Amino acid sequence: MKFGYFDNENKEYVITNPQTPTPWMNYIGKGKYSGIISNTGGGLSFDGDPSNRRVLRYKFNNLPKDRPGRYIYIRNQKTGEYWSPMWQPVMKLDSYECRHGMGYTVIKGEYDGISVTVTYFVPIDKNYEIWHVDMKNLTDEEKDLKVFSYCEFSWHDAKYDMLCHWPCMAFTAEYNNGRITVDNCAEHLTGVPLYDYISTDLEIDGYDCSLEEFIGAYRSETNPIVVENGECKNSEMHSDNCVGVLSSSFSLGAKEEKSFNYTLGAASKKEDIDLQIDDAFNKINIAKEKEKLRQDWNAYFSCYCAETPSREMDVMVNIWNAYQAKTTFDWSRFISLYERGVDRGFGFRDSMQDVLGVMHAIPQQARERIVLLLSIQKSEGDARSVYYPATNVAQGGGRSDDHLWSVFSVCNYIKETGDYAFLDREVPYVNGGSGTVLEHLEKGIEFTMENLGAHGIPDMFRNDWNDSIWPISGKENRGAESVFVFFQLGHAAYELIELYKKLDKKENLERIQKVYDYCKSKLDVIWDGEWFIRAFTQDGEKYGTNEDEWNKIYLNPQSWSVLSRLPDKQQQNTAMDNVLKYLYTDKGIKTHHPASTGFNPENKDFYLFEAGARENGSIFFHSNTWAIIALCLLGRKQDAFRCYQSILPIYRNDIADKCLTEPYVFSQTMLAAPHSRKDACVNSWLTGTASWTFLAATQYILGIRPEYDGLSIDPCVPEDWEEFSVKRLCRGTKCCITVKKGCQKGLFVEGKAVAGTQVPWAEIEGKDKVNIVLVK
């Protein structure tokens, strides 16, 4: 069953049925004041940090689901009937449509002869959002109407707002000068004030700040007593739950149209509120800001545009995958329908991977995110797990993989920009002292090499990339050995070898070559005959071996063995053959097979989840991307593209009732057989799948990949593709690249033949536009 369709011309996904299997979300805002909004208006807002500067409240795992939100109630004053154009929370409409676009959402509802369209967006670099309302009377008779805004404010500290009632005791909300202003005493707890507000450019005839007064006893947002009676109580709020209700009355003549606005925002100074409201309600500004937002996203998308024989690939690469990768870069794993915005900031491992999906478009921002993350690395080489921007605090640690992700991201940045001076930039360590970027990378390698287990494989500590495998290390969080981190170490060493050769750093090269050679010497220890094992347990037993009944083969060691280039090609292909044999499904590749059920560490059953759920045998889309890249590196064109197609959410549009999550963005995982709910997806939007899929598609399948000496044109596309083209921004130059079959084979730049498959940077840099053709 489908709930909507792709409008590619407008870069929108159009939802035609409000009753989607889960709330289908969009993001408004670009890294500062921002929010999430569902297809029925549910969601929340925050001022740069959803944990410590929350503005609107949202109730996760709640019934009725997807509440509260940004609502407008419309009441017919003659009949007393009322409704909401976003369907929720009254849930009655004659017609409905939601358009999720790039940084905005438009919801249109019709009822009782009135059509209402609400456009939600956050203007670029503003600390407020706008709800722009277009209303039309479709009938031949005058309508006397009353409209009510509705939102529910949150205590600034989202965690305590969810956990207990006492934060409400510090709430105050008052109406004055055409606005409701909320003071939640953030200044006394964080040192930075936070004033939330809501206002409208309509003439206001009533207001309510108290949730209880507006909703009424034993009622909900579906039937608030104030809307039912048609009169606000003009309640202020002191030490209780707070809402933003402003009422306005007007008549709408036959066929008459009317436009008006609400603005919701946050300020650190009270005197800034009126300035922000005046700015928001400048009608010329509203039109300009909407156009500015559109142009800003179009400029972002113009940095990479592909035209291939696969329409589905084009839609994802050019629009939705790029959009999701930027959104994930902005918010890491901080806030979504599945991430509550508490105890999750910018994760070291997460955000260090997220930069890969935006490096082509905003390399300077990616660089600064890398620096931020390196600043929470310890002088010993390992890293804190997460950074909270509002409080400037880094916490966590004890994972074996975090610090190794930096190498690939830094190397990608240098290949993209040629900014070798970045390696010498001084960055502090979280526990004191500082080192250059390059020293940070080498510290990570040294830490892993200093913490090897009994078999000479890196210690897993509490866990590696697979967070849920932690019981393998026992209560001490030491002793188990991670083959994933082993290959991650090999991959990092491989990348640094390439870098040091380019820089002619002989001493560094000799040192890192020894690490790589050491890894090569250990391959026999972890080879199981048909594939590489997953780990050694704390007791020294092999895990992920054909010798066991369950959990025989894991995906990640096989794909990362190829990325590391440590084994020979025959061994790499054998490992990937078995991935396709045992783990591949038509909806993606499972984490491992056969997944065990039941938690019994003594029997090497380490997962709390049922078989087929999350890391225990689900289709974990993030890890699928590494398999796609591995297949490309092996030149297995058909296999690589088949695996890529299998994970594209666009193919799930017609079965969305089974897959549940949005068909326009990637989810983290899909339940797989033998799970009774197989095909159901969870954790959409903020996932490493976004950046890595974009990388896999653009740099490995389509094969347009920056290297140290030039732009590599090395596609791994299906044999039946006759031609495809890519327009890509490379070091300030627009590269128009065509790959096609033909008789006169070779690589040509502006008609001139170039040896090999790499265009030297000298042929690209400093020019406005370069035409490149590869004839295969």
Side-chain angles (χ1 to χ4, degrees):
M1 179 180 177
K2 64 196 300 186
F3 295 84
Y5 62 91
F6 290 85
D7 180 349
N8 299 325
E9 182 177 349
N10 291 305
K11 297 184 177 68
E12 295 173 338
Y13 185 84
V14 185
I15 301 167
T16 55
N17 181 347
Q19 300 184 66
T20 50
T22 58
W24 286 4
M25 292 290 184
N26 194 16
Y27 283 74
I28 55 175
K30 299 186 68 175
K32 297 179 181 178
Y33 180 94
S34 299
I36 57 174
I37 182 168
S38 77
N39 56 297
T40 57
L44 53 85
S45 301
F46 50 91
D47 182 25
D49 184 331
S51 179
N52 297 287
R53 293 182 71 81
R54 185 72 63 91
V55 174
L56 291 188
R57 179 181 289 163
Y58 187 72
K59 297 169 184 174
F60 298 89
N61 288 340
N62 188 53
L63 289 176
K65 66 181 178 181
D66 192 30
R67 294 191 189 178
R70 303 167 176 86
Y71 301 139
I72 298 171
Y73 297 92
I74 299 168
R75 187 180 192 272
N76 186 317
Q77 293 290 74
K78 291 180 180 178
T79 66
E81 193 169 19
Y82 59 90
W83 54 286
S84 296
M86 52 284 305
W87 189 72
Q88 284 260 50
V90 183
M91 298 182 292
K92 61 180 181 182
L93 284 176
D94 293 329
S95 68
Y96 159 91
E97 179 184 88
C98 171
R99 289 178 172 265
H100 281 324
M102 306 294 107
Y104 67 87
T105 288
V106 180
I107 304 178
K108 180 179 180 181
E110 291 183 11
Y111 188 77
D112 191 29
I114 300 293
S115 171
V116 180
T117 302
V118 186
T119 302
Y120 301 93
F121 72 102
V122 174
I124 293 174
D125 294 328
K126 303 294 185 180
N127 239 49
Y128 58 79
E129 60 191 80
I130 291 174
W131 311 355
H132 177 73
V133 184
D134 292 311
M135 182 179 290
K136 183 176 182 179
N137 182 356
L138 303 175
T139 72
D140 293 325
E141 60 184 52
E142 185 177 79
K143 298 277 189 178
D144 292 328
L145 304 173
K146 193 163 194 172
V147 296
F148 302 80
S149 67
Y150 182 85
C151 62
E152 186 173 340
F153 290 100
S154 170
W155 175 249
H156 70 91
D157 187 318
K159 181 177 181 179
Y160 285 102
D161 189 75
M162 294 178 192
L163 288 177
C164 51
H165 185 261
W166 71 257
C168 292
M169 296 296 103
F171 254 148
T172 61
E174 298 177 345
Y175 173 80
N176 184 44
N177 194 28
R179 57 176 162 85
I180 290 172
T181 305
V182 181
D183 182 356
N184 54 34
C185 298
E187 179 179 11
H188 304 297
L189 296 173
T190 67
V192 182
L194 177 64
Y195 301 102
D196 309 327
Y197 64 86
I198 186 171
S199 184
T200 180
D201 58 4
L202 288 170
E203 185 176 340
I204 297 170
D205 58 20
Y207 64 90
D208 276 299
C209 304
S210 167
L211 182 147
E212 281 70 18
E213 291 291 333
F214 176 75
I215 297 290
Y218 302 103
R219 289 171 175 258
S220 72
E221 301 98 332
T222 301
N223 58 342
I225 189 67
V226 162
V227 179
E228 189 170 294
N229 292 338
E231 287 293 333
C232 281
K233 298 182 179 181
N234 294 343
S235 62
E236 295 188 344
M237 195 287 302
H238 300 274
S239 303
D240 208 344
N241 293 300
C242 178
V243 295
V245 176
L246 300 171
S247 68
S248 303
S249 303
F250 52 83
S251 295
L252 207 58
K255 308 297 183 183
E256 185 181 354
E257 299 180 23
K258 184 179 182 66
S259 295
F260 52 94
N261 301 280
Y262 296 95
T263 184
L264 171 75
S268 297
K269 299 177 182 178
K270 271 190 175 181
E271 53 266 33
D272 288 342
I273 295 176
D274 287 334
L275 296 176
Q276 292 182 190
I277 291 172
D278 290 344
D279 187 55
F281 289 155
N282 184 317
K283 289 181 170 53
I284 296 176
N285 280 354
I286 290 175
K288 284 183 177 179
E289 291 295 347
K290 287 168 69 176
E291 178 61 18
K292 184 178 177 182
L293 181 66
R294 186 188 70 82
Q295 290 181 0
D296 187 72
W297 276 110
N298 283 344
Y300 182 83
F301 294 132
S302 71
C303 295
Y304 196 103
C305 182
E307 188 174 339
T308 77
S310 171
R311 182 189 71 88
E312 293 80 9
M313 183 181 201
D314 293 351
V315 171
M316 292 308 300
V317 166
N318 298 337
I319 306 173
W320 291 101
N321 193 177
Y323 180 52
Q324 185 183 4
K326 175 58 169 63
T327 303
T328 304
F329 170 79
D330 287 341
W331 297 118
S332 189
R333 308 299 174 272
F334 220 155
I335 183 69
S336 71
L337 179 65
Y338 307 92
E339 308 286 0
R340 282 24 173 191
V342 297
D343 294 332
R344 297 298 296 268
F346 289 110
F348 190 100
R349 85 153 65 113
D350 298 328
S351 295
M352 196 62 85
Q353 296 174 75
D354 294 340
V355 300
L356 299 172
V358 300
M359 198 79 76
H360 68 290
I362 49 171
Q364 289 76 27
Q365 291 182 45
R367 177 193 63 209
E368 295 311 305
R369 182 62 51 81
I370 290 171
V371 170
L372 174 68
L373 297 169
L374 289 178
S375 73
I376 66 170
Q377 185 178 2
K378 296 193 291 185
S379 58
E380 293 83 2
D382 60 330
R384 300 290 186 204
S385 303
V386 63
Y387 170 79
Y388 300 97
T391 56
N392 194 31
V393 171
Q395 294 179 339
R399 302 194 297 207
S400 56
D401 66 311
D402 275 351
H403 47 280
L404 293 174
W405 293 106
S406 313
V407 175
F408 190 55
S409 298
V410 169
C411 290
N412 261 39
Y413 168 74
I414 294 171
K415 291 174 185 177
E416 187 73 53
T417 63
D419 180 14
Y420 292 97
F422 178 59
L423 295 170
D424 297 322
R425 180 167 171 177
E426 199 80 9
V427 179
Y429 294 109
V430 71
N431 58 339
S434 66
T436 66
V437 168
L438 190 55
E439 287 169 343
H440 277 258
L441 303 187
E442 291 202 335
K443 285 277 189 180
I445 301 281
E446 290 168 12
F447 178 85
T448 300
M449 288 298 292
E450 289 168 0
N451 288 275
L452 303 175
H455 298 85
I457 305 302
D459 195 308
M460 189 178 287
F461 293 101
R462 178 171 173 80
N463 53 262
D464 55 22
W465 175 83
N466 184 339
D467 291 318
S468 298
I469 206 172
W470 59 265
I472 198 172
S473 295
K475 294 180 180 179
E476 299 82 9
N477 294 329
R478 292 300 300 265
E481 298 167 79
S482 170
V483 174
F484 172 83
V485 174
F486 168 83
F487 282 124
Q488 190 186 17
L489 172 66
H491 178 256
Y494 174 86
E495 289 290 332
L496 288 181
I497 287 170
E498 296 280 294
L499 176 63
Y500 292 153
K501 286 179 179 178
K502 173 63 180 175
L503 297 175
D504 195 27
K505 285 182 173 286
K506 293 183 172 60
E507 289 185 12
N508 301 65
L509 177 59
E510 182 180 352
R511 188 165 58 247
I512 203 67
Q513 186 68 54
K514 288 180 180 178
V515 174
Y516 196 72
D517 292 342
Y518 171 83
C519 292
K520 266 188 175 293
S521 74
K522 291 294 179 180
L523 290 174
D524 289 344
V525 176
I526 56 177
W527 180 247
D528 201 48
E530 297 291 328
W531 54 78
F532 292 99
I533 65 171
R534 177 62 177 84
F536 289 103
T537 69
Q538 190 183 39
D539 297 325
E541 294 185 76
K542 290 195 296 183
Y543 180 67
T545 171
N546 202 25
E547 298 169 9
D548 290 340
E549 181 180 2
W550 303 100
N551 311 312
K552 291 173 176 287
I553 176 172
Y554 269 81
L555 170 59
N556 284 353
Q558 321 320 319
S559 57
W560 276 84
S561 74
V562 181
L563 270 62
S564 74
R565 283 82 160 179
L566 286 167
D568 60 36
K569 282 288 192 279
Q570 181 178 349
Q571 205 168 35
Q572 292 176 28
N573 275 299
T574 299
M576 293 308 295
D577 285 342
N578 284 292
V579 163
L580 297 177
K581 179 179 179 180
Y582 293 109
L583 304 181
Y584 174 79
T585 78
D586 62 356
K587 293 184 178 66
I589 305 171
K590 297 188 293 184
T591 61
H592 62 278
H593 175 84
S596 57
T597 293
F599 182 69
N600 185 2
E602 293 182 1
N603 197 39
K604 294 194 283 187
D605 298 332
F606 297 117
Y607 294 105
L608 297 172
F609 310 120
E610 282 189 40
R614 287 189 61 87
E615 290 93 341
N616 191 23
S618 78
I619 298 168
F620 216 93
F621 295 114
H622 188 167
S623 58
N624 275 236
T625 64
W626 301 324
I628 295 166
I629 292 172
L631 290 165
C632 288
L633 291 175
L634 292 170
R636 298 173 64 161
K637 303 174 182 179
Q638 303 302 126
D639 288 336
F641 197 72
R642 174 167 58 110
C643 290
Y644 172 71
Q645 283 183 304
S646 72
I647 69 171
L648 292 184
I650 191 172
Y651 286 112
R652 299 195 288 273
N653 195 48
D654 291 348
I655 54 171
D657 55 323
K658 295 181 180 179
C659 299
L660 306 184
T661 57
E662 301 93 332
Y664 45 90
V665 292
F666 291 96
S667 295
Q668 180 196 69
T669 182
M670 173 189 279
L671 299 175
H675 200 284
S676 60
R677 294 180 56 234
K678 77 180 186 71
D679 297 344
C681 295
V682 293
N683 276 57
S684 59
W685 274 103
L686 302 186
T687 164
T689 313
S691 60
W692 278 102
T693 307
F694 189 83
L695 196 78
T698 59
Q699 294 198 14
Y700 291 90
I701 294 177
L702 299 182
I704 315 301
R705 187 167 60 250
E707 300 287 1
Y708 293 121
D709 293 324
L711 185 65
S712 178
I713 316 294
D714 186 24
C716 186
V717 299
E719 290 289 353
D720 60 355
W721 282 23
E722 294 292 325
E723 183 175 329
F724 73 89
S725 63
V726 169
K727 294 178 181 177
R728 190 196 198 279
L729 190 67
C730 296
R731 301 191 180 185
T733 298
K734 185 176 183 180
C735 294
C736 300
I737 304 154
T738 301
V739 178
K740 60 184 180 180
K741 292 182 178 180
C743 298
Q744 189 181 355
K745 302 186 185 306
L747 181 62
F748 303 89
V749 180
E750 299 294 351
K752 182 180 70 174
V754 174
T757 59
Q758 193 172 104
V759 181
W761 288 121
E763 299 284 347
I764 294 174
E765 290 182 291
K767 300 176 182 178
D768 292 331
K769 180 180 176 182
V770 174
N771 293 299
I772 302 168
V773 178
L774 175 66
V775 183
K776 300 174 64 184

